[in-house]
Amino acid sequence: MPDHDYVDPYLASLYDVMNPRESSGDFAFYLPMIMTAESVLDVGCGTGSLLHWARESGHSGRLVGLDPPRACSSRPAAGTTSSGSTATCRPPPGTASSTSP
């Protein structure tokens, strides 16, 4: 079930500002595990910030995130990193978010 606060693109744009990765103990906890994995599926990825941190930290494998709210998964954090590689974050197939325009 999507978090309706983040279905709105404006509110989704505030997510990373309000929740910087440096302030989350979760990120520091999960990053070492992600870095040792060949592929990662992050269900509930939000804006994909954790996956991008992994890519920026040198992860060269496949990183994919799924999140139902279209506004979160379409945020710029889900795009290309400065190294030219990508971390993909998108709504799950078959959800209203993935099928709506």
Side-chain angles (χ1 to χ4, degrees):
M1 170 117 179
D3 184 338
H4 293 287
D5 291 338
Y6 298 109
V7 172
D8 179 283
Y10 173 71
L11 293 176
S13 71
L14 298 176
Y15 182 85
D16 288 333
V17 173
M18 293 171 26
N19 301 285
R21 63 185 176 201
E22 294 81 13
S23 69
S24 173
D26 289 352
F27 278 34
F29 175 79
Y30 287 113
L31 187 63
M33 289 184 269
I34 290 172
M35 296 305 291
T36 62
E38 185 175 319
S39 298
V40 175
L41 172 61
D42 182 358
V43 178
C45 67
T47 61
S49 183
L50 177 58
L51 297 179
H52 283 281
W53 192 16
R55 184 66 75 211
E56 292 164 8
S57 297
H59 192 287
S60 60
R62 186 167 188 199
L63 300 173
V64 176
L66 296 175
D67 202 295
R70 182 185 267 299
C72 280
S73 58
S74 63
R75 294 278 306 131
T80 304
T81 64
S82 59
S83 66
S85 58
T86 60
T88 306
C89 190
R90 57 180 157 240
T95 64
S97 295
S98 68
T99 57
S100 61

